Structure formats: C-alpha cells, structure tokens
C-alpha cells in the first residue's frame, strides 16, 4: 500500500448494505455482429465520422461476450456481492420486436448462472442506451408505439430470467440518452432538437411505466427500480440569467424522469412536454417502484444562451480538484444529492454508479497505481456514510466500473475501471484501486 493511500475502513451503514460493480452491454460485450445480434443505434453512430474519439466503436470492446467467465472471476476476487449489468436489446430481439434470438438469450443465461454460481446477485437493467437500429428506423424514442415494444421486450426478459434475477431496473439514465441523444446531438442517434428531446423523454417515461407493470406481472416478488443520473446543477456565474439556465438544466437533467415516474408530475419549467401527454399517461408512467438507483459523479454547470433548450452546457469554473477526465471532485455534493434524492422521492437508494475516469497506461512494472481513484472512492464512500448518518436509507454502492470500457463519445481513451484492459491483447490487469476496493468490501462485508 502506498503511504499516502487512505486505509479502507469500516463504515457505519445498514446491516443489509451491498457492495458491487456496474457495467453496460454495449460498453463491454463486443461480439457486435455475432450469434445473430442486430445492430443498435450506437453501431451506426460510431460509424459516422467525428462522432466518437479516435473513431472507436464497440465492435470488440472488452470482448466480455467471450470472456465473461474471467470477468466474473474478477468480481469474485473483488468480493462483489452484486453485479449490475444491462441486456443488449438488439442481442435478444435483433429487430427490436418480433422474433427472439435464442443465442443472445443463451448468453445471458450463461452469465446469470455464472454469477449465481459465484454467489454474486445479478441486477439486470433493460436499457443502457443501445436501441435496436430497426426501431430507430421507425422513429425510435420519438415513436409513441415504443412504449409497447419496450413492454414486450421486458416480458421476454422477465419470462426468461425472472426465475433467477431478483432485481430489475427499467432504464439507465433516461436523461443522458434523451438529452444528449435527441436534444444536444452528442449521443446516438445524434439529434439536436428541443421538441424531439421532450417527445423522446415522454415516451421513455411511458415505456418505464409499461415495463414496471409487465415485470410486476411476470417476475412476481422481484424488486423493481430505475436508475437516475442526478447531479447538482450550478450556474457558471451569479448572474440571474445563468441562475435561470441552471434551473432549466436541473429540470431537464434531474426532474424530467424521476418526477413523473415517482411523483406523477412533470417539472413546470418544461410545460411544452404536455404536447405529447395523452389522457391516462401520467397514471401509466407513475407505477410504484421499490428502489431508486442513483448514479452520481460530479456537479454540472450551465450558462445562459439563446438556444431552444434554454441553457448551454458549461465547463466547471477554474480551480478545485478534477478527475483525470476533468470532472469536478466534490464529495460534499454527493452527500447533498443523496439527502436531496431521498427527501424528494422517499425510496431506498442504491448508488448504482460512482467512479473516477482517467487517461491511464500501464507503468514500467506493468501496473496501474491509480491513487487518484482510490482517494476519490475513499472520499465518496465517506460522504455516503455521512448521508446515511443524516438519515438517508442508502443500501448499496456499485462502482462504475469493473473494467475499462467503451466510454461512449470518448471511446477507449477514458478509463473508469478498477481493472485495466489492454485492448490489443484483452489482458485484464487489476489496478491498485481494485485491491483497495476489495479491502473496503472486506472491512464492511456482512
Ligand atoms: C454514466 C453512464 C455509464 C458511464 C459513466 C462514466 O453516465 O451510465 O455508462 O459512461 O457515466
């Protein structure tokens, strides 16, 4: 252990607290054209020039489709109690609906059985952004029918895996895939239009509600939740225009999904979403869920501009500690977010993502001594303990991520893993943070 490294300590957390890691299908699986998988919007987006750093694609990624046994063995070595992953919709339904792909379903059978055999609970997320291209060709999230296509997909997954999977999530970060995908054009499918964004957002909300209803019926007794990316939104200056912009960003980022889903109301700042709301929709959306997944990294910043969205995305102001990918390190904002999310939604919280990105290489000894990530995880888990002491019902913490992986528009250069992946050889090299986190789990395992 490096002398400057904070010692992992026993934290005061509930007896049922669970530790784990999170990943997503498109970011790790690879095997993009194998065993009948259909294309997703990310496959096509990645082929458009200039969309992804270095022209990277998810074609091979971490080759997890073939190496899942080795990856589960790493989780076991880490001491993970939970593995949160996503199913690739186009792998199990290549056209998004209709004929299921049995080879795709078989892969998740093997993965789930391997996890259970290693005493790791599988937490299955239905949607981590890889929409089947065939559905995008029909309008994707802008087509209202997608709520029912998504429910059919949920039914297939529940029938097949509901006997072994006890925790399901509908969506990972509906805000990022709709705001970046339809409002700002940064993510697939690359549309930048306010109306498209709000239309997609409403249909995602409807799809969430339909999927919860379906999972309740077909996977009785399973614990159902959704995963929300929530970060405090700061104005870049004290001007009233920037403050108003930060409030609009907060509505788009933090409230447009969790509010209708958990509180049966849309943020008043986004009244034009009502154009898409039909009689009965809010009741369809607001299906009770059992847990609230919170993904948190860093505060985000807004500046006033005259765009249709009503804000511009801004860099953090100068000063203050940053991660290796330029995200502001503020564990106090994490504690505050836990308090705020619990106060607003009153659901048990699982931290379904938190982690540290960096541009890393192997050192001359073939290791990665990622002291910055260790310091981050230390500070953020302490902040979570402080939130628990303040009365927040927080029940789990799943690091993003087990492995370095395909980090969307940043490609492979941004690394968030506890395990380094040498993409040329697919060799996995646990970083110093892997050992540190293993000791933290060990000190807190119940
Ligand atoms: C989150 C995503 C996840 C990963 C991390 C760094 O927004 O859910 O897939 O990209 O950020």
């Amino acid at each position: 252990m490096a002398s400057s490294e904070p010692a992992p300590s026993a934290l005061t957390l509930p007896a049922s607290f669970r530790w784990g890691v999170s990943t997503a299908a498109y970011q790790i699986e690879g095997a993009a054209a194998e065993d009948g998988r259909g294309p997703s919007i990310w496959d096509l987006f990645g082929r458009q020039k200039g969309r992804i750093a270095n022209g990277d694609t998810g074609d091979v990624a971490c080759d997890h489709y073939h190496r899942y046994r080795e990856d589960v063995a790493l989780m076991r070595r880490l001491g993970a109690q939970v593995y949160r992953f996503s199913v690739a919709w186009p792998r199990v339904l290549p056209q998004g609906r209709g004929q299921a792909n049995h080879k795709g379903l078989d892969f998740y059978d093997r993965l789930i059985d391997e996890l259970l055999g290693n005493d790791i609970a599988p937490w299955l997320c239905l949607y981590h952004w890889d929409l089947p291209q065939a559905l995008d060709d029909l309008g994707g999230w802008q087509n209202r029918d997608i709520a029912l296509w998504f429910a059919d997909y949920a039914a297939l997954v529940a029938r097949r895996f509901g006997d072994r999977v006890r925790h399901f999530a509908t969506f990972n970060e509906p805000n990022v895939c709709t705001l970046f995908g339809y409002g700002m054009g940064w993510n697939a499918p690359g549309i930048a239009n306010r109306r498209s964004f709000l239309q997609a957002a409403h249909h995602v909300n409807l799809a969430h509600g339909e999927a919860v209803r379906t999972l309740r019926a077909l996977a009785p007794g399973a614990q159902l939740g959704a995963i929300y990316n929530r970060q405090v939104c700061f104005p870049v200056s004290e001007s009233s225009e920037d403050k108003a912009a930060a409030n609009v960003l907060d509505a788009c980022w933090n409230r447009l999904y969790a509010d209708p889903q958990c509180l049966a109301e849309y943020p008043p700042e986004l009244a034009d979403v009502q154009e898409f709301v039909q009689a009965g929709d809010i009741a369809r959306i607001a299906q009770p869920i059992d847990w609230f997944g919170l993904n948190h990294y860093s505060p985000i910043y807004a500046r006033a501009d005259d765009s249709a969205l009503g804000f511009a995305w801004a860099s953090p102001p100068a000063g203050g500690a940053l991660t290796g990918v330029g995200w502001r390190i503020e564990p106090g904002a994490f504690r505050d977010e836990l308090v705020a999310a619990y106060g607003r939604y009153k659901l048990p919280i699982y931290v379904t993502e938190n982690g540290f990105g960096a541009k890393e290489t192997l050192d001359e000894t073939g290791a990665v001594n990622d002291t910055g990530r260790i310091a981050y995880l230390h500070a953020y888990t302490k902040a979570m303990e402080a939130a628990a002491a303040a009365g927040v019902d927080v029940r789990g913490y799943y690091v993003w991520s087990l492995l370095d992986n395909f980090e969307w528009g940043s490609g492979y250069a941004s690394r968030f893993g506890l395990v380094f992946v040498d993409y040329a050889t697919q060799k996995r090299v646990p970083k110093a943070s892997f050992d540190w986190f293993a000791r933290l789990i060990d000190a807190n395992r119940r």
Side-chain angles (χ1 to χ4, degrees):
M1 192 196 337
S3 55
S4 57
E5 193 174 287
S9 54
L11 302 169
T12 305
L13 291 166
S16 59
F17 200 85
R18 289 287 171 270
W19 298 89
V21 284
S22 287
T23 66
Y26 192 69
Q27 294 180 273
I28 63 168
E29 284 181 4
E34 217 170 304
D35 287 346
R37 177 185 177 278
S40 80
I41 54 173
W42 275 93
D43 295 291
L44 272 84
F45 191 68
R47 281 172 180 62
Q48 294 171 22
K49 217 172 160 35
R51 291 295 200 180
I52 294 174
N54 308 313
D56 289 342
T57 73
D59 287 356
V60 178
C62 307
D63 196 30
H64 173 77
Y65 188 74
H66 299 113
R67 294 168 196 263
Y68 68 94
R69 276 205 183 85
E70 180 183 353
D71 296 336
V72 173
L74 283 165
M75 291 176 219
R76 178 166 187 129
R77 184 170 143 197
L78 183 68
Q81 297 163 302
V82 168
Y83 176 49
R84 176 206 146 205
F85 66 102
S86 72
V87 167
W89 186 352
R91 195 178 288 292
V92 299
L93 283 165
Q95 296 301 310
R97 53 194 183 140
Q99 190 63 43
N101 174 27
H102 290 288
K103 286 189 174 169
L105 291 164
D106 289 348
F107 166 69
Y108 296 107
D109 268 335
R110 292 194 295 275
L111 173 64
I112 289 165
D113 290 344
E114 187 73 13
L115 289 162
L116 292 172
N118 281 281
D119 222 8
I120 299 167
W123 283 43
L124 187 160
C125 177
L126 288 171
Y127 191 77
H128 202 127
W129 310 355
D130 44 359
L131 181 69
Q133 182 59 42
L135 298 185
D136 188 59
D137 294 342
L138 301 174
W141 292 109
Q142 290 184 262
N143 184 332
R144 193 176 157 92
D145 291 345
I146 200 166
L148 299 177
W149 303 335
F150 190 70
D152 288 346
Y153 160 52
L156 174 73
V157 169
R159 286 201 178 96
R160 179 76 175 223
F161 308 119
D163 58 336
R164 286 155 291 160
V165 173
R166 300 285 72 206
H167 292 84
F168 290 92
T170 54
F171 284 82
N172 174 73
E173 301 187 353
N175 59 348
V176 176
C177 63
T178 55
L179 183 61
F180 286 180
Y182 291 83
M184 296 166 77
W186 292 353
N187 277 12
I191 297 168
N193 178 287
R194 177 187 177 95
R195 193 171 174 275
S196 300
F197 157 54
L198 292 173
Q199 187 176 35
H202 182 61
H203 296 157
V204 162
N205 285 332
L206 269 181
H208 160 85
E210 291 297 341
V212 171
R213 240 170 22 151
T214 305
L215 292 165
R216 281 268 180 250
L218 299 178
Q223 295 286 299
L224 310 183
I227 298 168
Y228 307 94
N229 176 312
R230 285 181 57 97
Q231 328 291 328
V232 59
C233 301
F234 288 128
V236 281
S237 81
E238 286 305 301
S239 76
S240 56
E241 292 80 9
D242 286 342
K243 284 185 180 163
N247 186 52
V248 175
L249 175 60
D250 179 63
C252 294
W253 195 267
N254 291 324
R255 289 180 275 130
L256 181 57
Y257 309 87
D259 278 16
Q261 293 177 17
C262 305
L263 306 176
E265 65 191 25
Y266 270 114
E269 294 88 341
L270 302 173
D272 43 339
V273 73
Q274 298 298 340
E275 176 190 347
F276 306 106
V277 179
Q278 298 183 7
D281 279 6
I282 296 295
R284 282 172 70 193
I285 292 170
Q287 300 294 317
I289 55 174
D290 306 309
W291 56 271
F292 189 99
L294 176 66
N295 291 358
H296 181 93
Y297 290 90
S298 164
I300 54 177
Y301 298 85
R303 184 166 23 82
D305 75 352
D306 53 12
S307 71
L309 285 175
F311 65 86
W313 192 266
S315 306
L322 301 177
T323 69
V325 292
W327 297 4
R328 186 82 162 244
I329 301 175
E330 273 191 42
F334 181 41
R335 184 203 54 225
D336 294 350
E337 184 50 58
L338 282 160
V339 170
Y342 186 58
R344 190 171 181 85
Y345 302 108
K346 303 189 171 47
L347 283 166
I349 296 181
Y350 291 88
V351 178
T352 35
E353 281 184 31
N354 178 238
F356 179 98
K359 317 268 171 185
E360 295 164 313
T361 50
L362 294 174
D363 67 18
E364 57 292 346
T365 69
V368 181
N369 190 14
D370 53 341
T371 49
R373 181 171 292 106
I374 292 172
Y376 179 99
L377 295 177
H378 177 72
Y380 275 71
T381 50
K382 292 298 269 184
M384 177 175 67
E385 182 187 37
V392 175
D393 183 5
V394 55
R395 300 191 185 175
Y397 178 89
Y398 312 150
V399 168
W400 184 270
S401 186
L402 174 69
L403 304 168
D404 292 340
N405 59 55
F406 174 79
E407 182 47 36
W408 309 114
S410 309
Y412 294 102
S414 286
R415 294 173 178 270
F416 278 82
L418 299 174
V419 177
F420 181 91
V421 176
D422 178 350
Y423 293 107
T425 61
Q426 290 295 345
K427 185 165 181 232
R428 274 81 165 131
V429 181
K431 303 177 190 176
S433 59
F434 180 97
D435 296 324
W436 185 89
F437 193 57
R439 283 187 286 124
L440 183 73
I441 295 177
D442 194 48
N444 289 283
R445 175 183 282 284
R446 302 204 170 77

PDB file of all heavy atoms in Angstrom, residues 233-235 239-251 302-305 309-312:
ATOM      1  N   CYS A 233     -26.911  21.071 -10.201  1.00  0.00           N
ATOM      2  CA  CYS A 233     -26.634  21.935 -11.362  1.00  0.00           C
ATOM      3  C   CYS A 233     -26.288  23.334 -10.866  1.00  0.00           C
ATOM      4  O   CYS A 233     -27.125  23.989 -10.234  1.00  0.00           O
ATOM      5  CB  CYS A 233     -27.866  22.038 -12.249  1.00  0.00           C
ATOM      6  SG  CYS A 233     -28.429  20.451 -12.853  1.00  0.00           S
ATOM      7  N   PHE A 234     -25.097  23.798 -11.171  1.00  0.00           N
ATOM      8  CA  PHE A 234     -24.678  25.131 -10.739  1.00  0.00           C
ATOM      9  C   PHE A 234     -24.640  26.092 -11.922  1.00  0.00           C
ATOM     10  O   PHE A 234     -24.250  25.696 -13.032  1.00  0.00           O
ATOM     11  CB  PHE A 234     -23.271  25.082 -10.130  1.00  0.00           C
ATOM     12  CG  PHE A 234     -23.210  24.411  -8.777  1.00  0.00           C
ATOM     13  CD1 PHE A 234     -22.294  23.393  -8.547  1.00  0.00           C
ATOM     14  CD2 PHE A 234     -24.049  24.801  -7.743  1.00  0.00           C
ATOM     15  CE1 PHE A 234     -22.220  22.774  -7.302  1.00  0.00           C
ATOM     16  CE2 PHE A 234     -23.982  24.187  -6.491  1.00  0.00           C
ATOM     17  CZ  PHE A 234     -23.066  23.177  -6.273  1.00  0.00           C
ATOM     18  N   PRO A 235     -24.991  27.367 -11.683  1.00  0.00           N
ATOM     19  CA  PRO A 235     -24.764  28.385 -12.728  1.00  0.00           C
ATOM     20  C   PRO A 235     -23.272  28.723 -12.772  1.00  0.00           C
ATOM     21  O   PRO A 235     -22.607  28.669 -11.730  1.00  0.00           O
ATOM     22  CB  PRO A 235     -25.575  29.578 -12.224  1.00  0.00           C
ATOM     23  CG  PRO A 235     -25.689  29.392 -10.745  1.00  0.00           C
ATOM     24  CD  PRO A 235     -25.573  27.918 -10.461  1.00  0.00           C
ATOM     25  N   SER A 239     -25.003  35.619 -12.162  1.00  0.00           N
ATOM     26  CA  SER A 239     -25.984  36.436 -12.896  1.00  0.00           C
ATOM     27  C   SER A 239     -27.347  35.737 -12.878  1.00  0.00           C
ATOM     28  O   SER A 239     -27.426  34.506 -12.842  1.00  0.00           O
ATOM     29  CB  SER A 239     -25.523  36.654 -14.344  1.00  0.00           C
ATOM     30  OG  SER A 239     -25.745  35.476 -15.102  1.00  0.00           O
ATOM     31  N   SER A 240     -28.420  36.543 -12.932  1.00  0.00           N
ATOM     32  CA  SER A 240     -29.749  35.931 -12.856  1.00  0.00           C
ATOM     33  C   SER A 240     -30.002  35.071 -14.093  1.00  0.00           C
ATOM     34  O   SER A 240     -30.695  34.053 -14.023  1.00  0.00           O
ATOM     35  CB  SER A 240     -30.826  36.988 -12.666  1.00  0.00           C
ATOM     36  OG  SER A 240     -30.730  37.920 -13.699  1.00  0.00           O
ATOM     37  N   GLU A 241     -29.399  35.421 -15.245  1.00  0.00           N
ATOM     38  CA  GLU A 241     -29.599  34.624 -16.468  1.00  0.00           C
ATOM     39  C   GLU A 241     -28.965  33.244 -16.295  1.00  0.00           C
ATOM     40  O   GLU A 241     -29.557  32.227 -16.637  1.00  0.00           O
ATOM     41  CB  GLU A 241     -28.964  35.315 -17.690  1.00  0.00           C
ATOM     42  CG  GLU A 241     -29.648  36.609 -18.123  1.00  0.00           C
ATOM     43  CD  GLU A 241     -29.243  37.809 -17.274  1.00  0.00           C
ATOM     44  OE1 GLU A 241     -28.294  37.692 -16.452  1.00  0.00           O
ATOM     45  OE2 GLU A 241     -29.878  38.863 -17.426  1.00  0.00           O
ATOM     46  N   ASP A 242     -27.747  33.219 -15.758  1.00  0.00           N
ATOM     47  CA  ASP A 242     -27.093  31.915 -15.568  1.00  0.00           C
ATOM     48  C   ASP A 242     -27.833  31.078 -14.517  1.00  0.00           C
ATOM     49  O   ASP A 242     -27.946  29.852 -14.649  1.00  0.00           O
ATOM     50  CB  ASP A 242     -25.619  32.100 -15.173  1.00  0.00           C
ATOM     51  CG  ASP A 242     -24.759  32.547 -16.347  1.00  0.00           C
ATOM     52  OD1 ASP A 242     -25.203  32.387 -17.503  1.00  0.00           O
ATOM     53  OD2 ASP A 242     -23.649  33.064 -16.115  1.00  0.00           O
ATOM     54  N   LYS A 243     -28.339  31.748 -13.501  1.00  0.00           N
ATOM     55  CA  LYS A 243     -29.108  31.003 -12.479  1.00  0.00           C
ATOM     56  C   LYS A 243     -30.366  30.400 -13.087  1.00  0.00           C
ATOM     57  O   LYS A 243     -30.734  29.255 -12.790  1.00  0.00           O
ATOM     58  CB  LYS A 243     -29.488  31.930 -11.323  1.00  0.00           C
ATOM     59  CG  LYS A 243     -28.318  32.216 -10.388  1.00  0.00           C
ATOM     60  CD  LYS A 243     -28.816  33.031  -9.205  1.00  0.00           C
ATOM     61  CE  LYS A 243     -27.676  33.342  -8.254  1.00  0.00           C
ATOM     62  NZ  LYS A 243     -28.000  34.441  -7.342  1.00  0.00           N
ATOM     63  N   ALA A 244     -31.034  31.165 -13.954  1.00  0.00           N
ATOM     64  CA  ALA A 244     -32.245  30.626 -14.608  1.00  0.00           C
ATOM     65  C   ALA A 244     -31.865  29.447 -15.507  1.00  0.00           C
ATOM     66  O   ALA A 244     -32.573  28.432 -15.560  1.00  0.00           O
ATOM     67  CB  ALA A 244     -32.936  31.728 -15.412  1.00  0.00           C
ATOM     68  N   ALA A 245     -30.743  29.565 -16.199  1.00  0.00           N
ATOM     69  CA  ALA A 245     -30.298  28.470 -17.078  1.00  0.00           C
ATOM     70  C   ALA A 245     -30.022  27.216 -16.251  1.00  0.00           C
ATOM     71  O   ALA A 245     -30.374  26.093 -16.650  1.00  0.00           O
ATOM     72  CB  ALA A 245     -29.053  28.893 -17.857  1.00  0.00           C
ATOM     73  N   ALA A 246     -29.406  27.382 -15.083  1.00  0.00           N
ATOM     74  CA  ALA A 246     -29.098  26.223 -14.227  1.00  0.00           C
ATOM     75  C   ALA A 246     -30.393  25.557 -13.754  1.00  0.00           C
ATOM     76  O   ALA A 246     -30.463  24.327 -13.630  1.00  0.00           O
ATOM     77  CB  ALA A 246     -28.249  26.650 -13.035  1.00  0.00           C
ATOM     78  N   ASN A 247     -31.428  26.365 -13.536  1.00  0.00           N
ATOM     79  CA  ASN A 247     -32.706  25.797 -13.107  1.00  0.00           C
ATOM     80  C   ASN A 247     -33.351  24.977 -14.230  1.00  0.00           C
ATOM     81  O   ASN A 247     -33.929  23.906 -13.986  1.00  0.00           O
ATOM     82  CB  ASN A 247     -33.644  26.917 -12.640  1.00  0.00           C
ATOM     83  CG  ASN A 247     -34.908  26.345 -12.051  1.00  0.00           C
ATOM     84  OD1 ASN A 247     -34.846  25.490 -11.168  1.00  0.00           O
ATOM     85  ND2 ASN A 247     -36.040  26.764 -12.559  1.00  0.00           N
ATOM     86  N   VAL A 248     -33.201  25.452 -15.474  1.00  0.00           N
ATOM     87  CA  VAL A 248     -33.742  24.688 -16.606  1.00  0.00           C
ATOM     88  C   VAL A 248     -32.948  23.388 -16.774  1.00  0.00           C
ATOM     89  O   VAL A 248     -33.520  22.309 -16.981  1.00  0.00           O
ATOM     90  CB  VAL A 248     -33.709  25.524 -17.909  1.00  0.00           C
ATOM     91  CG1 VAL A 248     -34.166  24.670 -19.088  1.00  0.00           C
ATOM     92  CG2 VAL A 248     -34.582  26.757 -17.777  1.00  0.00           C
ATOM     93  N   LEU A 249     -31.636  23.481 -16.653  1.00  0.00           N
ATOM     94  CA  LEU A 249     -30.827  22.257 -16.744  1.00  0.00           C
ATOM     95  C   LEU A 249     -31.244  21.271 -15.647  1.00  0.00           C
ATOM     96  O   LEU A 249     -31.388  20.067 -15.898  1.00  0.00           O
ATOM     97  CB  LEU A 249     -29.328  22.583 -16.643  1.00  0.00           C
ATOM     98  CG  LEU A 249     -28.395  21.363 -16.610  1.00  0.00           C
ATOM     99  CD1 LEU A 249     -28.529  20.505 -17.867  1.00  0.00           C
ATOM    100  CD2 LEU A 249     -26.925  21.801 -16.454  1.00  0.00           C
ATOM    101  N   ASP A 250     -31.495  21.789 -14.458  1.00  0.00           N
ATOM    102  CA  ASP A 250     -31.926  20.920 -13.357  1.00  0.00           C
ATOM    103  C   ASP A 250     -33.245  20.212 -13.706  1.00  0.00           C
ATOM    104  O   ASP A 250     -33.411  19.016 -13.435  1.00  0.00           O
ATOM    105  CB  ASP A 250     -32.089  21.756 -12.077  1.00  0.00           C
ATOM    106  CG  ASP A 250     -32.563  20.911 -10.913  1.00  0.00           C
ATOM    107  OD1 ASP A 250     -31.832  19.993 -10.512  1.00  0.00           O
ATOM    108  OD2 ASP A 250     -33.679  21.147 -10.419  1.00  0.00           O
ATOM    109  N   ALA A 251     -34.163  20.937 -14.340  1.00  0.00           N
ATOM    110  CA  ALA A 251     -35.441  20.314 -14.731  1.00  0.00           C
ATOM    111  C   ALA A 251     -35.193  19.211 -15.757  1.00  0.00           C
ATOM    112  O   ALA A 251     -35.741  18.110 -15.660  1.00  0.00           O
ATOM    113  CB  ALA A 251     -36.399  21.371 -15.286  1.00  0.00           C
ATOM    114  N   ALA A 302     -24.190  25.191 -15.900  1.00  0.00           N
ATOM    115  CA  ALA A 302     -24.976  25.759 -17.008  1.00  0.00           C
ATOM    116  C   ALA A 302     -24.664  27.241 -17.177  1.00  0.00           C
ATOM    117  O   ALA A 302     -24.341  27.942 -16.213  1.00  0.00           O
ATOM    118  CB  ALA A 302     -26.458  25.585 -16.734  1.00  0.00           C
ATOM    119  N   ARG A 303     -24.784  27.672 -18.408  1.00  0.00           N
ATOM    120  CA  ARG A 303     -24.624  29.089 -18.764  1.00  0.00           C
ATOM    121  C   ARG A 303     -25.841  29.478 -19.596  1.00  0.00           C
ATOM    122  O   ARG A 303     -26.377  28.641 -20.344  1.00  0.00           O
ATOM    123  CB  ARG A 303     -23.348  29.233 -19.596  1.00  0.00           C
ATOM    124  CG  ARG A 303     -22.962  30.609 -19.969  1.00  0.00           C
ATOM    125  CD  ARG A 303     -21.503  30.726 -20.496  1.00  0.00           C
ATOM    126  NE  ARG A 303     -20.899  29.521 -21.027  1.00  0.00           N
ATOM    127  CZ  ARG A 303     -21.079  29.063 -22.264  1.00  0.00           C
ATOM    128  NH1 ARG A 303     -21.885  29.690 -23.097  1.00  0.00           N
ATOM    129  NH2 ARG A 303     -20.458  27.962 -22.676  1.00  0.00           N
ATOM    130  N   ALA A 304     -26.281  30.709 -19.452  1.00  0.00           N
ATOM    131  CA  ALA A 304     -27.422  31.165 -20.255  1.00  0.00           C
ATOM    132  C   ALA A 304     -27.012  31.246 -21.718  1.00  0.00           C
ATOM    133  O   ALA A 304     -25.869  31.591 -22.018  1.00  0.00           O
ATOM    134  CB  ALA A 304     -27.886  32.539 -19.769  1.00  0.00           C
ATOM    135  N   ASP A 305     -27.921  30.897 -22.610  1.00  0.00           N
ATOM    136  CA  ASP A 305     -27.710  31.168 -24.033  1.00  0.00           C
ATOM    137  C   ASP A 305     -29.091  31.283 -24.672  1.00  0.00           C
ATOM    138  O   ASP A 305     -30.100  31.168 -23.992  1.00  0.00           O
ATOM    139  CB  ASP A 305     -26.832  30.102 -24.708  1.00  0.00           C
ATOM    140  CG  ASP A 305     -27.577  28.798 -24.951  1.00  0.00           C
ATOM    141  OD1 ASP A 305     -28.729  28.662 -24.469  1.00  0.00           O
ATOM    142  OD2 ASP A 305     -27.021  27.926 -25.632  1.00  0.00           O
ATOM    143  N   LEU A 309     -33.101  25.061 -25.987  1.00  0.00           N
ATOM    144  CA  LEU A 309     -33.079  24.332 -24.720  1.00  0.00           C
ATOM    145  C   LEU A 309     -33.106  25.270 -23.516  1.00  0.00           C
ATOM    146  O   LEU A 309     -33.521  24.892 -22.436  1.00  0.00           O
ATOM    147  CB  LEU A 309     -31.842  23.430 -24.638  1.00  0.00           C
ATOM    148  CG  LEU A 309     -31.881  22.143 -25.477  1.00  0.00           C
ATOM    149  CD1 LEU A 309     -30.539  21.418 -25.379  1.00  0.00           C
ATOM    150  CD2 LEU A 309     -33.011  21.219 -25.034  1.00  0.00           C
ATOM    151  N   GLY A 310     -32.592  26.481 -23.682  1.00  0.00           N
ATOM    152  CA  GLY A 310     -32.619  27.448 -22.588  1.00  0.00           C
ATOM    153  C   GLY A 310     -31.411  27.392 -21.671  1.00  0.00           C
ATOM    154  O   GLY A 310     -31.390  28.020 -20.606  1.00  0.00           O
ATOM    155  N   PHE A 311     -30.404  26.651 -22.068  1.00  0.00           N
ATOM    156  CA  PHE A 311     -29.152  26.640 -21.319  1.00  0.00           C
ATOM    157  C   PHE A 311     -28.050  26.154 -22.243  1.00  0.00           C
ATOM    158  O   PHE A 311     -28.325  25.505 -23.267  1.00  0.00           O
ATOM    159  CB  PHE A 311     -29.226  25.708 -20.095  1.00  0.00           C
ATOM    160  CG  PHE A 311     -29.398  24.262 -20.472  1.00  0.00           C
ATOM    161  CD1 PHE A 311     -28.298  23.447 -20.759  1.00  0.00           C
ATOM    162  CD2 PHE A 311     -30.664  23.707 -20.572  1.00  0.00           C
ATOM    163  CE1 PHE A 311     -28.469  22.129 -21.133  1.00  0.00           C
ATOM    164  CE2 PHE A 311     -30.839  22.381 -20.952  1.00  0.00           C
ATOM    165  CZ  PHE A 311     -29.732  21.599 -21.232  1.00  0.00           C
ATOM    166  N   ALA A 312     -26.814  26.467 -21.883  1.00  0.00           N
ATOM    167  CA  ALA A 312     -25.665  25.861 -22.555  1.00  0.00           C
ATOM    168  C   ALA A 312     -24.902  25.061 -21.512  1.00  0.00           C
ATOM    169  O   ALA A 312     -24.781  25.483 -20.352  1.00  0.00           O
ATOM    170  CB  ALA A 312     -24.766  26.933 -23.162  1.00  0.00           C
TER     171      ALA A 312
END
